[in-house]
């Protein structure tokens, strides 16, 4: 889980100044602001659990990974992060 958290923190623009601002022309597909808030909340929760020595179950790992993958796809669609050459074909825009 720590590896997933570190990867998400490295790739998502979580703490950049414009991360939690809405676009001026409302051209977003999904709401990047709300999606980033969701990721930030889950990251903080899981970091706290790991620091306490609580290991997630396989189902929790799967759910968190799937959520991050879907949010990454939305961020790519909105131009918030670049599409990676390592992304699966279904993620490419």
């Amino acid at each position: 889980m720590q590896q997933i958290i570190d990867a998400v923190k490295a790739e998502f623009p979580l703490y950049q100044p414009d991360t939690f601002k809405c676009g001026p022309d409302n051209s977003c597909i999904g709401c990047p602001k709300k999606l980033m808030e969701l990721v930030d909340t889950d990251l903080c929760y899981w970091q706290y659990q790991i620091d306490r020595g609580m290991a997630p179950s396989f189902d929790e790992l799967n759910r968190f990974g799937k959520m991050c993958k879907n949010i990454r796809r939305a961020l790519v669609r909105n131009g918030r992060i670049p599409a990676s050459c390592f992304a699966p074909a279904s993620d490419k825009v």
Side-chain angles (χ1 to χ4, degrees), residues 27-46:
S27 64
C28 297
I29 302 168
C31 182
K33 176 185 172 188
K34 289 179 184 174
L35 294 173
M36 294 301 285
E37 288 172 351
L38 177 64
V39 169
D40 187 45
T41 300
D42 270 15
L43 282 175
C44 290
Y45 171 77
W46 282 114

Side-chain angles (χ1 to χ4, degrees), residues 68-87:
C68 290
K69 178 180 146 191
N70 290 336
I71 290 175
R72 183 191 177 285
R73 189 179 312 134
L75 293 174
V76 168
R77 265 190 229 127
N78 285 300
R80 300 300 305 234
I81 60 174
S84 166
C85 62
F86 300 108

Side-chain angles (χ1 to χ4, degrees), residues 3-83:
Q3 291 174 339
I4 296 172
I5 290 172
D6 293 340
V8 169
K9 284 182 179 180
E11 186 167 353
F12 287 11
L14 286 170
Y15 305 112
Q16 293 178 0
D18 65 339
T19 295
F20 296 104
K21 294 180 184 174
C22 288
D25 57 358
N26 293 325
S27 64
C28 297
I29 302 168
C31 182
K33 176 185 172 188
K34 289 179 184 174
L35 294 173
M36 294 301 285
E37 288 172 351
L38 177 64
V39 169
D40 187 45
T41 300
D42 270 15
L43 282 175
C44 290
Y45 171 77
W46 282 114
Q47 189 63 61
Y48 177 74
Q49 293 296 349
I50 290 170
D51 291 346
R52 290 185 55 216
M54 306 285 290
S57 68
F58 177 75
D59 188 45
E60 291 167 329
L61 277 170
N62 188 38
R63 211 173 313 134
F64 182 69
K66 184 177 179 181
M67 180 193 71
C68 290
K69 178 180 146 191
N70 290 336
I71 290 175
R72 183 191 177 285
R73 189 179 312 134
L75 293 174
V76 168
R77 265 190 229 127
N78 285 300
R80 300 300 305 234
I81 60 174

